[in-house]
Structure formats: structure tokens, C-alpha cells
Amino acid sequence: MQKLKLVIMLAKNELRGRYRGTLIGKLWLFVTPLVTLVLYSLVFSNIFKARWEFLGANVYTNYAIVLFPGLMMYQLMMDVLGKGGGAYDAYAPLTTKLNISTRDLILGGVLASLIPFWAAIAIWYLGVSVLFGLTPRGGTLVLLIAFVFSIFCVGLAFLSTVIGALLKDWLQFLGIISMGLLFISPILYPTEHLPAALQNFVYLNPLSHFIDIIRHGAFQPDIPFSLLTSLLPVLGATIAVLVVGIWLEHVLGRFTHE
Amino acid sequence: MNDHAIYQLPVAVEARNLGKSYRKHKSSVARIMDFANYLLRGRRSSRFFETSHVLRDIELAVREGRSLGIIGQNGCGKSTLLKMVASIISPTSGTLKVNGRVASIIELGAGFNFEDTGLQNIYSYLTMYAIPSAAIQEKVRQIIEFSGLGEKISAPVKSYSSGMVVRLAFAIIAHLDADILLVDEALAVGDAVFSQKCMRFIQTFKQHGTILFVSHDLNALQAICDEVIWLHDGVIRARGPARPVCDAYLEFTLSADYPDLVPQGHALPQKLPSSLTTIAEMTLDAPTARVEISPEPDLSRGFGGSKAEIVDVALRSITGKEIGVLKGGETVELAIRAQVKVEVSSPIFGFIVKNSRGVEIFAENTLHDLQNGPLYFEAGVQYEAVFRFSFPILPSGDYTVTAAVGEGDFYQHKQLIWRHDVLVLRVASERFRYGLIGLNDTRVSVYRHEMELG
């Protein structure tokens, strides 16, 4: 309970710090994703003529609303990977002088990234409901997968912490793979546009699975959804990442301190 | 407290064979190999790193309500020991038991977010130290009051002076309901009045809590600590009552710096003096200073006041004139005026002058009069005691005057009104030499001993 309060306090402090002194303050929470969205929409739907023809006729031309959740998930993932990767050095001034653990600081940092993510997802799904109607099935699936993805990101942050602490090159490497993770995924274009040989390659990116499911819930709620083949692997991977992440971070804590 | 009674107390901090070492990996690859080895086999191999020992074989038992001083040169492991007690870092070997809630003043202001306001930082700290929500409002009020920051508490910490940051930090630490207080070189904080407040807090804390105190200030150490350990290169080199350990440490540091100054334990060759010839008569130039006296007494801090109230305290010249500045050596008057509310049968006027570390430099009261019988004060009348004395020569620094009126005799008395730090005396001494008090009008003769070999 006390830990939870601490983590919430750390997240609040970070968010407060991020927008302090800015002209529009917390509005940035909404402006940033919207501007990103507009920019990507312009480039991809108007210049590269990307279309979501596989999602049905009513969604076909509405490039932005399909792009949005994927983009938000991508940003959240890169955010937590970066925070975890730099955590051991970045938090050293605190952890070497105060009785506060790196683990709690990372959780606070991840929570500070999750709050804008959930705000963005909520606004987006409100838009989806207005445009295409709300179904209980679809809504449940969207909420569930957003939640599972959040947990997945907590696990990723810890994994990234361990790698970053052991290998200082990790942050540089993240910079390089961030591009790959964006383009080798269904974020900007439908997977079906790729040659068949490359399509499987896209699914090596864990993001792709989450994005497919959230789009399924939002845009094709009536098409049957296989829990066994779609959701279970994602759930399994999430639990695995979380457990391994927490365990390795725990071992790392002992490794560095004793 | 006798030894037997001390051993009955429960142990607050206990270290057995405690050690701390740091590993430096030879390369990134070695670090990963070491981690893999540790992960898979639970072992570490010294092939991958170099070990440096910071602390070794530390045996300690600090009992509840006792205070332990820790001295030693830079890098001897003092802070490491405190950090282990604060569970900021964990021991490499041995065991460490800490019973009770620890508050540490390892680095005042560490963890402050300078963009946040003082108030927000207080909340963050209280959450970090797991203060229950129900108690937070009251704590915040006490902290703001103790820090004396007033309205400034709502300004960002980056706008604070360094003294104010430290005041806020100390105020927070003082209100964490700790059982064990760890203090690392943090007492030279703020102005004279605030340092007094900190020293008073530590003295009060000592009555019920355990203190581990790291300092290079051997005077403060001796004032606070029951026992002192001297760490040298990560091991305890000496332990015992404060005075002898501090003396031994001082002798060691002096001999390291000036090996010639310290007696080496063998006597000088004996020679018999036959006659003395004066070769010089000197009068040492008195080390005068400039003492600025705060213009208005501040009568806001202290206790008592229901039977008598101190209405004015002034330090003035013997002609009764207010003086803003003096230099030491001249005769002055310290006047304490009190409004007496009820009849007082054996009243006592007194004052104490303390330096910024809370060391009492000089003090006097009307009890020390052996010729007259006790005084008697009527209700509703103002009385004034005027102490006339030769003001001593003091080293630079801030001094404070505490004034009080009590009632009783030498053996049993109580304070009716006590006012802390009423006046601040700011001493700027151009060339004060050593010690707490300067000597006035010192004459020296230097003789030549005409020796005959015995």
C-alpha cells in the first residue's frame, strides 16, 4: 500500500515536472499525440496513399484513426525501454543517498508514461465509438488488450533496466532499433501490403500482435475472434516478460549491491 | 548511567563482522560474464573484477538512546557505514541488525526536486518515508514552522538560498518520527539561530533516540556522543569514550601532517639550567574583533511565560548607551528586563552565550551571589537585572544570547521564562588565533637557559 503511494507520488512528480512552466501545461498531454497523428496521416495517406482496405469499407479511408492506437503503443514501448535502459545511471543520485529502490523509481517512471497513454487511448476509443458505434465485445477487447500491453511494458522496462545496467551500449542500440520497430510492424500500413515472405517477419515484433488485437476490437468487433490463437500467446508472452523482467531486476539488485 | 544499566538496554544497531567491498569489472564483457555466472550458478568469480574493501570486520552494538560518534579521515568508510545502517546500500559480508525507524542526514537536501515548491518536496519526502496519510497534515505544519521558511514554502526550491534548502531538509528529517538518527557532517547549517535549533533538536532527540554521528568537528562530537569509534582504512582502530578517542585521533592526524610537533615518546636529553638571561620581553597584541549586536531582541522562541515575561534584553555600554558594535575586552552591560505577573519568592536572572555549534561559551546568573539573601519580586512590576562584565575576545562567528528568569535556589530551581537566542552577536575577528576565547593583554618573557652539562 505504502509502495503504491510512493510509486504514484513519483509518477505525479514526473508528470508535473514535464509540463511545468509550459504555456499550455497539461494540454500537451493531448496536443503531442494529435499533432503526431496529423503529421503521419498527411504523409502516409496523402503522399504514400496508404489505405486500410482490409478493415472494411467504412474504415478504408479513415487512415488516422487506425494509425493512432498503434502509434501510441509504439511510443509507450520506446518510452519505457528508454527509461529502463538508463535507469541505473539516471537514478544513481537518488539511490545512493536515499533509502529508495531503483525498482520503485522505474515503476514510477513507467506509470508516468502509462497515464498519457491511457488518456490517448480513451480519447481515441471515444472517437471510434462516435464514428462506428460501440459494442460490448469490442470495448472489452480494446480495454483488455490495452491493459495487457501496459503490463507487458512494465516487464519490458525491467528487462531493459537489466540490459542497460550490464551493457552501456544498450541505449545507443535502442536508438537504432526504434526505427525498425516502427517500420517492421502494422503501425503505418497493413501487413498485407508486404510480400508474403516478409509478412511473418513483421510478427517477430511483439508490438504487431498487440496492434492487431486492438484494431480487431475497435474496427471488426463482429468478426469472430479466436482467443486461443490470438490472445493467449500475447497473454503468455506478457506474463513471461513480466516474470523474467522482475526476476532479473531482482538478481541485478543483489548482483550490484553485495 | 552506569555500565550495568547500559547493558540492560535493547540494541538499536548491531553489526557483526560487517564488511563492504566494491567490485570494479575489468570490462563490459567481464561484467556480463560475471552476471551470467551469478545468475546461473549463484557464484562470483574474482577473474572478472577487482575488489576494493571499504569496510572490514566491523563489530558494533549501539544501544537504544545512546549516541555513537564516528571519526576518521576522508575515505575511511564512515559514510559507507552510515549508508548501510540506513539500508541505502547492503553489506557484502557479516550481519547488520537495525531495530527501529531510521532517518538519515547523509546529505541534506538529497532527493529534493528543485523545480518543485518546498511544500511539494515535503509531501514527497513524507511519502518516501511512509508517513501515514492521517499524520501528514500535522507533520507538514510542524516542518514549515521548524524550518522558519514562512511564505517561501510555496516557492520553488530553486529560488531558495543554500541555507534555506538545508533548513528545509533538516526540518523534514527532524519530523520523521525516527528512532535512530544518522548525521553525516551536516550541522554547520543555516545561520546561528537555526544551528542552535538543530543542536537543541539533537539534544532533545538524544533523550529517547539513538544517534550515529559522523563529524570532523571533534568538539561537537564530544558534546553529543557517549562513545566514539575511529575508523581507519575500513577497520575500527580505536573505540571508547569520546574524549580519549578524539585525542588519539587528533594526535594521529597532527603527526601525519606535522610529524615533528608530536612527542615521540622519548625524553629530551636532560640538561640542568644554571641561570636565566632574559632575551626578550613582549606584549602580545590583543586579538581584537568587531562584534555586531543585533539591534532588536527576538523574544519569540523558548518556553514558560505564565508567571513572568522577558520584555527586553540589551547589550550596552556601561554608560547605558546602546552600542551596535564592540571589539572585545571592554566592559559592557547585559540587561534583562522582566515583567513579573505573580509574586516570585526567590527569583533568578541568568543568561548564556553560545556559539553557532551550541557550545556554551560563558554564562552567568544571580544565584552565584553569596552575600545577599534571596530576592523577592512583587506581582505586576517590571524588574531589570544588569550584568556588568568585561566582554571576552571571541573567534569569528555568530553567537547567541539566551536569557531566562527562574525561581528557586542553587539546588532546586525551575525556569519561569526562558528565551532562546534573543540576541545575535556577529563576531568578525581579523586574526583570532586558537581556541574558543582570546586572551587580553598577554605578556611574554623569553629567557635563555645557560646550560651546564650534567
Side-chain angles (χ1 to χ4, degrees):
Chain A
M1 197 49 215
Q2 206 61 50
K3 282 272 181 234
L4 185 67
K5 262 163 94 182
L6 175 65
V7 169
I8 292 173
M9 185 268 293
L10 290 168
K12 268 188 184 164
N13 284 0
E14 187 186 324
L15 286 176
R16 193 169 54 227
R18 194 183 303 170
Y19 303 115
R20 193 194 328 264
T22 55
L23 207 56
I24 59 170
K26 291 201 175 63
L27 278 180
W28 277 115
L29 220 62
F30 306 103
V31 171
T32 320
L34 286 177
V35 172
T36 325
L37 185 66
V38 169
L39 216 70
Y40 276 90
S41 302
L42 278 177
V43 174
F44 282 88
S45 73
N46 296 345
I47 302 174
F48 293 142
K49 304 291 179 208
R51 294 287 181 272
W52 307 102
E53 59 270 29
F54 305 95
L55 288 177
N58 56 347
V59 191
Y60 177 68
T61 50
N62 215 329
Y63 182 80
I65 204 149
V66 182
L67 166 74
F68 193 73
L71 207 54
M72 289 304 108
M73 285 170 139
Y74 167 76
Q75 281 186 349
L76 175 64
M77 191 166 110
M78 293 323 296
D79 208 19
V80 300
L81 282 173
K83 274 182 181 167
Y88 252 70
D89 290 339
Y91 295 135
L94 288 175
T95 53
T96 54
K97 283 172 191 140
L98 297 171
N99 189 1
I100 188 167
S101 70
T102 315
R103 189 171 317 142
D104 293 341
L105 288 162
I106 293 167
L107 283 173
V110 172
L111 185 61
S113 301
L114 281 174
I115 290 166
F117 170 74
W118 275 89
I121 290 293
I123 291 172
W124 164 75
Y125 196 60
L126 201 70
V128 171
S129 311
V130 170
L131 286 176
F132 313 113
L134 177 74
T135 61
R137 255 178 68 100
T140 314
L141 195 58
V142 167
L143 279 181
L144 180 71
I145 200 66
F147 179 74
V148 172
F149 185 67
S150 306
I151 303 293
F152 178 74
C153 284
V154 173
L156 272 190
F158 283 130
L159 277 183
S160 182
T161 304
V162 176
I163 304 171
L166 294 172
L167 190 66
K168 303 286 167 202
D169 316 57
W170 174 240
L171 280 182
Q172 310 302 322
F173 184 66
L174 269 182
I176 299 170
I177 62 167
S178 69
M179 270 297 171
L181 286 173
L182 178 62
F183 289 116
I184 308 170
S185 77
I187 297 174
L188 299 168
Y189 51 86
T191 330
E192 289 82 353
H193 285 189
L194 289 174
L198 280 180
Q199 283 189 16
N200 288 332
F201 193 57
V202 165
Y203 287 96
L204 287 178
N205 182 352
L207 254 183
S208 310
H209 302 273
F210 288 99
I211 291 172
D212 275 359
I213 297 175
I214 204 167
R215 282 181 184 157
H216 189 110
F219 305 115
Q220 301 168 308
D222 303 324
I223 297 179
F225 177 76
S226 159
L227 285 179
L228 198 68
T229 55
S230 295
L231 196 60
L232 270 188
V234 166
L235 218 55
T238 299
I239 292 170
V241 164
L242 185 70
V243 169
V244 173
I246 290 176
W247 174 60
L248 283 182
E249 200 279 332
H250 181 74
V251 175
L252 178 74
R254 287 208 321 252
F255 175 78
T256 42
H257 284 126
E258 74 176 34
Chain B
M1 206 182 288
N2 63 36
D3 284 1
H4 185 69
I6 292 168
Y7 287 117
Q8 305 266 305
L9 293 168
V11 177
V13 179
E14 186 175 32
R16 288 270 162 269
N17 197 23
L18 185 71
K20 177 76 195 172
S21 47
Y22 286 100
R23 299 183 176 84
K24 178 147 180 46
H25 287 97
K26 290 167 181 159
S27 67
S28 293
V29 178
R31 184 170 35 220
I32 292 167
M33 300 275 281
D34 188 25
F35 182 74
N37 198 28
Y38 182 73
L39 187 69
L40 301 175
R41 300 198 293 173
R43 281 188 282 133
R44 311 190 67 150
S45 160
S46 56
R47 273 180 299 151
F48 301 123
F49 49 77
E50 282 157 17
T51 309
S52 58
H53 297 283
V54 183
L55 283 175
R56 271 170 298 156
D57 308 327
I58 303 293
E59 297 280 338
L60 267 186
V62 187
R63 286 170 195 275
E64 272 179 20
R66 305 287 289 168
S67 46
L68 175 78
I70 304 164
I71 51 177
Q73 289 167 312
N74 290 334
C76 69
K78 301 187 297 283
S79 299
T80 306
L81 182 58
L82 282 200
K83 281 181 180 177
M84 282 199 280
V85 175
S87 40
I88 292 170
I89 54 178
S90 38
T92 318
S93 59
T95 56
L96 177 65
K97 274 189 232 152
V98 179
N99 301 318
R101 191 184 169 80
V102 179
S104 57
I105 311 181
I106 303 256
E107 191 177 309
L108 278 174
F112 272 178
N113 183 334
F114 278 68
E115 299 287 330
D116 278 347
T117 66
L119 197 59
Q120 286 163 338
N121 274 298
I122 296 177
Y123 280 113
S124 301
Y125 246 83
L126 293 181
T127 313
M128 207 152 63
Y129 273 92
I131 299 289
S133 314
I136 282 190
Q137 284 311 322
E138 178 58 16
K139 290 270 174 229
V140 169
R141 198 189 57 72
Q142 290 170 349
I143 291 169
I144 297 174
E145 192 188 321
F146 189 96
S147 71
L149 287 172
E151 296 294 309
K152 264 297 227 183
I153 204 74
S154 307
V157 173
K158 67 178 172 187
S159 71
Y160 290 13
S161 68
S162 52
M164 288 161 77
V165 173
V166 162
R167 272 158 65 179
L168 178 62
F170 193 93
I172 295 173
I173 299 297
H175 291 88
L176 294 175
D177 294 335
D179 306 309
I180 302 166
L181 187 67
L182 311 180
V183 185
D184 192 351
E185 286 290 3
L187 290 177
V189 296
D191 51 37
V193 173
F194 194 75
S195 329
Q196 296 294 345
K197 217 168 172 177
C198 296
M199 286 309 287
R200 270 205 301 283
F201 165 75
I202 287 177
Q203 295 291 0
T204 319
F205 184 88
K206 249 190 89 167
Q207 291 166 11
H208 58 87
T210 311
I211 300 179
L212 266 64
F213 188 81
V214 164
S215 187
H216 288 292
D217 182 344
L218 300 184
N219 289 320
L221 208 78
Q222 290 178 38
I224 290 171
C225 301
D226 304 315
E227 202 195 349
V228 170
I229 59 169
W230 167 13
L231 286 177
H232 186 71
D233 281 345
V235 292
I236 297 179
R237 179 161 172 152
R239 68 167 85 212
R243 185 64 193 276
V245 179
C246 287
D247 285 351
Y249 173 65
L250 195 64
E251 186 172 315
F252 170 80
T253 49
L254 283 176
S255 64
D257 287 347
Y258 317 103
D260 304 341
L261 285 183
V262 180
Q264 298 296 316
H266 52 82
L268 293 166
Q270 280 292 314
K271 288 181 179 178
L272 300 170
S274 59
S275 62
L276 296 177
T277 321
T278 307
I279 57 166
E281 289 285 356
M282 309 176 204
T283 303
L284 298 187
D285 140 39
T288 55
R290 178 187 159 82
V291 184
E292 271 180 50
I293 303 156
S294 56
E296 287 297 319
D298 176 357
L299 297 163
S300 62
R301 288 175 300 271
F303 54 89
S306 57
K307 296 186 178 165
E309 190 66 64
I310 293 177
V311 292
D312 191 27
V313 177
L315 187 63
R316 60 201 187 200
S317 73
I318 38 170
T319 55
K321 264 191 288 182
E322 292 281 334
I323 40 172
V325 175
L326 49 92
K327 64 184 195 331
E330 63 269 69
T331 305
V332 293
E333 285 185 351
L334 178 77
I336 302 170
R337 188 143 54 93
Q339 172 76 41
V340 178
K341 297 174 185 168
V342 295
E343 148 187 338
V344 181
S345 60
S346 314
I348 315 156
F349 276 99
F351 72 90
I352 304 170
V353 174
K354 291 187 273 188
N355 70 8
S356 58
R357 290 197 297 263
V359 176
E360 297 176 2
I361 305 293
F362 59 96
E364 208 45 274
N365 67 57
T366 53
L367 264 186
H368 296 264
D369 159 75
L370 300 174
Q371 282 151 30
N372 303 301
L375 298 166
Y376 169 78
F377 287 174
E378 289 169 46
V381 180
Q382 283 199 357
Y383 292 90
E384 183 170 56
V386 181
F387 295 82
R388 285 183 198 85
F389 57 95
S390 169
F391 195 87
I393 294 157
L394 300 170
S396 295
D398 284 356
Y399 296 81
T400 58
V401 179
T402 294
V405 178
E407 180 180 23
D409 59 27
F410 201 81
Y411 302 101
Q412 197 170 16
H413 53 263
K414 59 175 190 276
Q415 307 298 343
L416 300 179
I417 170 80
W418 180 286
R419 287 289 173 247
H420 292 302
D421 313 331
V422 177
L423 292 176
V424 176
L425 313 176
R426 175 155 292 172
V427 178
S429 174
E430 280 171 19
R431 36 173 219 83
F432 192 88
R433 290 181 277 262
Y434 309 104
L436 292 176
I437 282 203
L439 300 178
N440 199 9
D441 199 18
T442 311
R443 278 182 289 276
V444 193
S445 300
V446 181
Y447 303 104
R448 178 187 164 90
H449 280 240
E450 301 296 338
M451 301 290 184
E452 283 172 12
L453 291 172

